[in-house]
RNA sequence: GCCUCUGUAGCUCAGUUGGUAGAGCAGUGGACUGAAAAUCCACGUGUCGUUGGUUCGAUUCCGACCGGAGGCA
C-alpha cells in the first residue's frame, strides 16, 4: 500500500546534508454539508488503507451523531476515526485545540504508515490545519472578555471600534462596527498581549505548509440540487431520531455552550419551549442548513488548490480514487 | 343576497394627504486566525389584482369586475 513512509530525504544547507523526515501526505475531503463527504472519505480510507480525521467543529462532541451527521463506529466499519465524538458536550473547543489535536493524530497515522484522510465542513479548521497555523498556549482570561463585553453594551460598536483603532489601527481598519465578535477579540488580544492582530497572523503562519496535501472538494453542479439534498437529509434526520437528541441538547443548553448553537438543535428550541409548532421548526432547520451550506461554499471557493468534484457525476468516486492514487504515486 | 375588510417584491407586510414605492425574511455575492454549524458586510423595478372614469398626471380618489377573509340574513 502506498501509504506514508517516514522515509529519509534531505537538503543541502551550507554544504551540510541534513537528513529530515519526508513530509507527510494527507488527503482532505471538504465542501458544503450534505454532499456525501463522509462516504467519499470513508471509501478512500478503505481503498488506500487510511484513517479518518474529522474536521468538523460540532462532530467533535460525543452523543450528537444524528444532528451533526457524524459517522458512527458501525458506519465506519472498522476504519479508525479520529476527532469525532470524543468530547463531552459540556466542553468548549476551539480552532487552536483542533489544530493541536489534528496534528497529533496525523503524526501518529503517518508513523503507522497509513494515510490520513481529513474530512469535514469547518473551513476555519481545515484551512488552519493545512496552512499549519500555530496557536500559543496562552489564553486570555475570561474576566478580560467579560469586561469588554459589558463595555460594548454601554458604549456600542462604534466606540469600541475607535478604542481598538487606538491600540491596533490596522485591525480596526478592516472591521465593521457591527462585527462584535471580531472587535472584542482583537481588543482582548492587544490588551492582554500587546500584540496586534496583523503581527499575530504573521507569527502564526509557518514558512512552509506542514503537509503535502491533496484537497478534494465536493459540490453539486446546481445549487438547487444541493438544497434539495439538504431538505431531504433533514427529513431523514427526523426519521433517524433527531428530535430526542435535540431535546437533550435543549435541556442542557446552558452547559452545552458550543454544541447548543449547532444547526439541528437550536431550531427546535422554540418547539420545546412551546412557542412554535414542530413543522415550522423543521422548515427553519432546512433554511438554516441551506444558509450554512452557502457560507461553506464561499469559504472553500476561496481556498486555492481544491480539486472540485461534482456529485452528479457518476464517475465522481472513481475520479477521486484516481486522484489519490496518482497523488500517492507522484514524487513530491 | 347584503355589509365590512382585503389584493403592493419569491413570502409576510409598510407606504404614497394624487407626482409610478420600501422593510423583514428568502435569494445571490463577499468576509473570516482561539465560540466558526458562530459572527459580520454588500446587493431592492415590482403590469402596486383587472378594467373603465375623474385629473395635466392614478398604485393612491370614484365605479364595475375578478380573487381572498370575516360578519349579517
Amino acid at each position: 500500500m502506498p501509504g506514508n513512509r517516514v522515509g529519509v530525504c534531505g537538503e543541502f544547507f551550507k554544504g551540510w546534508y541534513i537528513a529530515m523526515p519526508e513530509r507527510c501526505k494527507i488527503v482532505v475531503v471538504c465542501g458544503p454539508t450534505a454532499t456525501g463527504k463522509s462516504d467519499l472519505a470513508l471509501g478512500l480510507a478503505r481503498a488506500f488503507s487510511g484513517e479518518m480525521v474529522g474536521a468538523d467543529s460540532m462532530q467533535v462532541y460525543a452523543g450528537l451523531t444524528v444532528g451533526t451527521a457524524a459517522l458512527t463506529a458501525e458506519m465506519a466499519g472498522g476504519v479508525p476515526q479520529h476527532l469525532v465524538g470524543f468530547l463531552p458536550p459540556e466542553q468548549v473547543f476551539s480552532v487552536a485545540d483542533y489544530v493541536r489535536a489534528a496534528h497529533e493524530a496525523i503524526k501518529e497515522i503517518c508513523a503507522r504508515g497509513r494515510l490520513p484522510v481529513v474530512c469535514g465542513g469547518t473551513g476555519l479548521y481545515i484551512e488552519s490545519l493545512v496552512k499549519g497555523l500555530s496557536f500559543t498556549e496562552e489564553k486570555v482570561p475570561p474576566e478580560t472578555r467579560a469586561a469588554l463585553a459589558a463595555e460594548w453594551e454601554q458604549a456600542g460598536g462604534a466606540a469600541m471600534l475607535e478604542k481598538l483603532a487606538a491600540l491596533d489601527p490596522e485591525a480596526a481598519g478592516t472591521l465593521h462596527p457591527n462585527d462584535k465578535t471580531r472587535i472584542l477579540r482583537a481588543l482582548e488580544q492587544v490588551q492582554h498581549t500587546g500584540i496586534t492582530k496583523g503581527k499575530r497572523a504573521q507569527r502564526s503562519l509557518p514558512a512552509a505548509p506542514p503537509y503535502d496535501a491533496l484537497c478534494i472538494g465536493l459540490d453539486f453542479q446546481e445549487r438547487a440540487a444541493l438544497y434539495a439534498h439538504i431538505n431531504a437529509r433533514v427529513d431523514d434526520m427526523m426519521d433517524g431520531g433527531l428530535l430526542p437528541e435535540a431535546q437533550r441538547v435543549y435541556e442542557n443548553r446552558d452547559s452545552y455552550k458550543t454544541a447548543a448553537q449547532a444547526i439541528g438543535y437550536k431550531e427546535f428550541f422554540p418547539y420545546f419551549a412551546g412557542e412554535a409548532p414542530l413543522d415550522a421548526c423543521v422548515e427553519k432547520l432546512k433554511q438554516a442548513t441551506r444558509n450554512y451550506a452557502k457560507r461553506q461554499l464561499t469559504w472553500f471557493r476561496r481556498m486555492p488548490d481544491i480539486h472540485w468534484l461534482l456529485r452528479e457525476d457518476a464517475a465522481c468516486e472513481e475520479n477521486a480514487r484516481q486522484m489519490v492514487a496518482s497523488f500517492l504515486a507522484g514524487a513530491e
Side-chain angles (χ1 to χ4, degrees), chain A residues 107-305:
Chain A
K107 200 172 102 189
E108 286 167 11
I109 296 167
C110 287
R112 268 176 232 132
R114 294 166 67 92
L115 176 70
V117 180
V118 176
C119 172
T122 304
L124 178 66
Y125 286 11
I126 292 180
E127 194 170 326
S128 302
L129 178 71
V130 171
K131 279 184 171 175
L133 300 192
S134 59
F135 298 85
T136 58
E137 288 293 337
E138 187 180 27
K139 288 186 170 128
V140 176
E143 305 87 68
T144 308
R145 174 171 293 198
L148 285 167
E151 200 179 335
W152 177 287
E153 297 308 318
Q154 291 300 313
M160 296 304 272
L161 188 56
E162 269 181 52
K163 183 180 174 131
L164 177 64
L167 300 166
D168 185 352
E170 194 191 335
T174 65
L175 293 172
H176 188 278
N178 290 350
D179 203 343
K180 185 174 172 181
T181 315
R182 293 199 177 74
I183 293 174
L184 290 184
R185 171 100 258 255
L187 267 171
E188 69 180 23
Q189 291 215 307
V190 254
Q191 279 192 353
H192 188 249
T193 66
I195 303 168
T196 64
K197 196 176 178 217
K199 198 100 192 168
R200 224 156 215 283
Q202 231 174 46
R203 289 186 188 178
S204 68
L205 191 67
Y211 304 113
D212 187 11
L214 169 70
C215 292
I216 296 173
L218 268 182
D219 190 17
F220 287 88
Q221 172 122 49
E222 297 288 332
R223 185 65 59 88
L226 207 209
Y227 288 173
H229 267 255
I230 287 172
N231 295 342
R233 196 180 65 168
V234 169
D235 291 333
D236 289 347
M237 284 179 172
M238 288 303 287
D239 294 341
L242 178 58
L243 207 54
E245 198 174 277
Q247 180 149 22
R248 207 171 72 238
V249 174
Y250 175 70
E251 282 157 7
N252 295 286
R253 60 191 178 285
D254 293 328
S255 55
Y256 290 16
K257 275 183 117 182
T258 307
Q261 53 179 238
I263 295 169
Y265 306 125
K266 63 172 182 285
E267 289 74 19
F268 291 105
F269 289 5
Y271 170 70
F272 295 125
E275 291 161 1
L278 183 59
D279 58 345
C281 295
V282 173
E283 280 315 302
K284 193 86 186 69
L285 169 54
K286 289 176 180 175
Q287 185 65 258
T289 310
R290 282 181 248 134
N291 293 161
Y292 171 51
K294 187 179 163 297
R295 266 178 274 136
Q296 289 177 298
L297 271 171
T298 94
W299 189 296
F300 292 121
R301 276 190 298 221
R302 180 186 67 153
M303 279 176 66
D305 306 324

